[in-house]
Amino acid sequence: MAAANMTAGQDRRAVAAGQITAGVILLAALLALASVGYHAVERVRDTPVVAFIGEHPLLNAFAKSFIVANFVTLHVLFLIWWERKFAGWMQARLGPKHVGWNGLAQTVADAVKLLLKEDIIPAKADGRLFVIAPFLVFMPTLLTFMVLPFSASWVGYNFGLGALFALAVSTNVSLGILAAGWGANNKYSLLGGARACAQVLAYEVPLAITVLAVVAVSGTVSLVDIGAQQSRWWNIVAHAPVMIPAFVLFLICALAELNRTPFDLPEAESELVSGFHTEYSGMRFAFFYLAEFANNFFMAGLAVTLFFGGWFGPLLPGPVWFTIKTVGLVTAMMWIRWTVPRFRVDQMMGFCWKVLVPASLVVFCASALWGMWVQR
Amino acid sequence: MRRKHGFWIGFVSVFRGLGVTLLNLVGRRKVTVQYPLERPKVSPRYRGLFYLPFDEEAGRLKCVGCTLCAQACPTKVISMKKLGSGKHAGVSEFTMDLGRCMFCNLCIEACPFDAIHMGPEYELASYNRNASVFTIVDLAPGGAEAVRRNNATIEAAIKAENETGGSERKGHIAEVKLVVPPKTGGQEA
């Protein structure tokens, strides 16, 4: 019996080692493919047709929107798989395993299922608000991705006020969430919507101040310029005394903005069923889910641009490095999500107004002084 | 002062929690058994599907049809038909309706001949109620062949006894030992 157990254990270990090796090889292949793809795209960019599209204002806008919208929709499929896998591993489970290689196509199957589901609008719901809310949540996400710089040239719209634009637009998510909570005509949804609104608006304040701290050090509001300044040293290294506390504050506020655990009060399952999207199913629910994960990627991307050297890194091309860093930060957020329990509502609000706002103001003033000292 | 203390506990415990989840992530064996593809290894004392041990030496099932198990059963799962009598007693039918069985082990504890056991077989779900009724053919390890041999042996013994007049009766009964069901299990396999 013992011998049988041992061989079974060795088999298991061998299988696990095989899986890890396969994963590493696949990752290396993926990175190589991404690099090759990057150079191919760079070459395609120089062809006359693409150059014409790039110069035509309307076609340019349309093409970029098309690319960004597709990226936002498709990268979420990977992120959801990764989150499930990661959560599974943390809980000594395997995670999705059957559809595709290690369950990689599981999210695709789920998305298809959600799209094919019956479209239900509750009889007493405010129909128009109920229908429009998922798009109100999803639209800001799409807009924020327009200014997210994957590299100096790989950016939807090189906007001089990129950081401010991203902050301003991403706050609008709370409008959609409130619309969803109100429109569903369900007390739990309304509570969730109200909580989300209060939370997003409150945490927006320290978040904006922390971003301003980075702006004070960098001396520019453009995300592309902030990224470009970090070609030698990442902000968090070069300006460590002020940027490390700024990053910690940014991370906490970003988690709250994203309604992720420990700040998932708007959709707290154990209190509010599932909060503002209790009544949603099928495609509309898929939109909420999509927006949640895309926002997660965006916030991580923003943090990478502001603190972790944007698209700069050795060997691999810029967009690939940016994606690697961002996925790494998303993973760190998942790690926090599957570890820390939920806040209480009053603690959550008190923590924001009594701790984070003063702390972020202190960090902002320190960064301003540091910026003056560094520039002199 | 107390407030400050609580803050530090909270601060430290967040990082401690992150450490715990990280250890789980990298250092712990996954507990998932992918059931239809992988089979769990059941313990030797697992209480699965019943079986009636076959005595190869005597060429018959160990069961003598004494109905002690049927009497011990709280849910009246067991019914049997006795074959022969006295020292050559056995069963020709032994039916268990496992739809009623709660796998309490009382029948096995009641059996003085160690003639009923629980095996490692656990896939007992069925599509209709009749399928949860297990006859002697399902319960005997050799199936219909074992039952045929059992019946033939007992019938031959009875015939022989009738011819000789049954003089060896007492000696045979003295050989039967009271067998306590094995707690560690797996001895039959």
Side-chain angles (χ1 to χ4, degrees):
Chain A
M1 210 61 212
N5 265 337
M6 216 162 73
T7 49
Q10 280 164 353
D11 282 355
R12 249 178 174 206
R13 238 165 284 149
V15 168
Q19 290 276 346
I20 290 168
T21 318
V24 168
I25 291 171
L26 208 74
L27 195 66
L30 199 69
L31 290 179
L33 197 72
S35 310
V36 170
Y38 170 79
H39 290 300
V41 171
E42 284 289 301
R43 200 161 297 168
V44 167
R45 266 188 148 179
D46 299 334
T47 57
V49 181
V50 179
F52 172 73
I53 292 173
E55 279 161 25
H56 192 286
L58 205 63
L59 282 178
N60 184 15
F62 184 79
K64 278 177 172 170
S65 313
F66 179 80
I67 292 168
V68 167
N70 273 294
F71 175 77
V72 170
T73 319
L74 294 179
H75 86 280
V76 167
L77 292 178
F78 166 77
L79 278 189
I80 293 176
W81 169 80
W82 177 233
E83 166 119 36
R84 286 175 168 180
K85 213 63 186 162
F86 197 72
W89 291 338
M90 275 192 167
Q91 296 163 0
R93 296 185 285 114
L94 294 171
K97 195 82 179 163
H98 281 278
V99 193
W101 183 80
N102 268 308
L104 199 51
Q106 181 69 53
T107 12
V108 180
D110 287 349
V112 170
K113 182 206 78 173
L114 283 174
L115 293 180
L116 294 178
K117 262 185 154 182
E118 186 189 350
D119 182 26
I120 298 171
I121 299 175
K124 292 195 174 174
D126 186 334
R128 259 178 244 163
L129 271 184
F130 188 83
V131 168
I132 207 172
F135 303 104
L136 281 181
V137 171
F138 189 58
M139 278 309 293
T141 314
L142 277 181
L143 285 176
T144 48
F145 269 81
M146 287 302 280
V147 295
L148 195 64
F150 280 71
S151 85
S153 57
W154 282 48
V155 51
Y157 180 44
N158 189 352
F159 191 25
L161 297 171
L164 288 184
F165 176 79
L167 287 177
V169 168
S170 67
T171 317
N172 288 339
V173 169
S174 62
L175 189 66
I177 291 177
L178 195 59
W182 177 263
N185 198 7
N186 170 330
K187 64 183 104 171
Y188 296 114
S189 299
L190 183 58
L191 273 173
R195 278 183 182 188
C197 208
Q199 178 181 322
V200 171
L201 289 181
Y203 278 84
E204 188 70 23
V205 177
L207 184 80
I209 295 174
T210 355
V211 172
L212 281 186
V214 180
V215 169
V217 166
S218 312
T220 171
V221 191
S222 163
L223 285 176
V224 176
D225 290 348
I226 291 176
Q229 282 181 0
Q230 303 174 59
S231 55
R232 275 178 65 84
W233 294 103
W234 297 357
N235 262 347
I236 201 162
V237 180
H239 310 294
V242 287
M243 284 296 107
I244 287 175
F247 171 68
V248 171
L249 291 175
F250 182 91
L251 189 65
I252 295 172
C253 297
L255 287 173
E257 284 282 294
L258 296 166
N259 302 330
R260 276 175 92 74
T261 323
F263 298 99
D264 66 338
L265 298 139
E267 45 194 287
E269 294 97 344
S270 44
E271 304 161 26
L272 301 180
V273 194
S274 69
F276 61 88
H277 57 64
T278 303
E279 298 289 355
Y280 283 91
S281 62
M283 206 174 93
R284 294 181 214 289
F285 174 74
F287 263 100
F288 278 118
Y289 220 64
L290 196 65
E292 191 184 322
F293 275 85
N295 271 329
N296 195 354
F297 187 90
F298 166 73
M299 274 296 172
L302 191 61
V304 165
T305 312
L306 295 177
F307 300 101
F308 292 100
W311 55 88
F312 291 106
L315 283 176
L316 297 168
V320 178
W321 263 114
F322 183 85
T323 313
I324 291 171
K325 289 177 190 174
T326 308
V327 171
L329 206 55
V330 168
T331 309
M333 286 178 173
M334 289 174 187
W335 182 15
I336 295 171
R337 177 183 179 181
W338 293 103
T339 303
V340 185
R342 191 180 303 137
F343 267 85
R344 223 168 60 196
V345 180
D346 59 323
Q347 285 174 339
M348 184 266 290
M349 294 306 278
F351 182 61
C352 177
W353 292 114
K354 291 178 192 166
V355 179
L356 287 183
V357 171
S360 62
L361 281 171
V362 168
V363 167
F364 173 62
C365 294
S367 315
L369 291 173
W370 176 271
M372 280 165 65
W373 182 68
V374 163
Q375 273 161 18
R376 191 149 50 84
Chain B
M1 194 62 212
R2 217 178 137 225
R3 220 183 131 92
K4 205 170 168 186
H5 188 63
F7 174 80
W8 277 112
I9 286 181
F11 187 78
V12 170
S13 66
V14 166
F15 289 96
R16 200 171 283 171
L18 288 173
V20 168
T21 43
L22 187 68
L23 278 179
N24 271 289
L25 177 71
V26 295
R28 193 165 147 195
R29 218 177 85 179
K30 310 300 174 213
V31 294
T32 310
V33 176
Q34 294 186 277
Y35 165 59
L37 306 176
E38 279 172 28
R39 301 279 158 162
K41 275 197 296 291
V42 297
S43 150
R45 49 197 289 186
Y46 186 79
R47 293 186 187 175
L49 178 63
F50 295 89
Y51 67 92
L52 302 171
F54 193 85
D55 188 346
E56 280 297 336
E57 226 170 277
R60 52 165 288 182
L61 294 171
K62 281 186 177 179
C63 181
V64 299
C66 66
T67 72
L68 276 178
C69 52
Q71 288 167 45
C73 181
T75 48
K76 305 281 174 258
V77 166
I78 303 170
S79 57
M80 64 183 81
K81 191 171 176 187
K82 199 165 181 176
L83 180 65
S85 62
K87 66 180 181 183
H88 299 303
V91 281
S92 59
E93 279 175 30
F94 193 97
T95 311
M96 299 184 83
D97 181 0
L98 295 190
R100 292 206 296 270
C101 182
M102 54 183 170
F103 296 87
C104 64
N105 210 33
L106 285 179
C107 50
I108 288 151
E109 284 174 20
C111 183
F113 297 100
D114 200 15
I116 179 167
H117 270 265
M118 278 167 152
E121 179 61 46
Y122 52 84
E123 288 160 318
L124 301 175
S126 55
Y127 285 102
N128 56 61
R129 291 183 186 208
N130 288 340
S132 67
V133 177
F134 287 75
T135 64
I136 190 167
V137 176
D138 306 318
L139 296 169
E145 171 61 18
V147 175
R148 197 195 55 72
R149 274 179 71 196
N150 173 57
N151 293 354
T153 309
I154 292 169
E155 274 158 13
I158 290 168
K159 201 184 254 181
E161 188 184 61
N162 287 345
E163 280 164 12
T164 56
S167 56
E168 295 170 44
R169 186 172 191 164
K170 277 181 181 171
H172 256 272
I173 283 186
E175 278 175 28
V176 175
K177 281 176 286 182
L178 246 165
V179 181
V180 179
K183 284 299 177 200
T184 47
Q187 290 174 7
E188 296 298 325

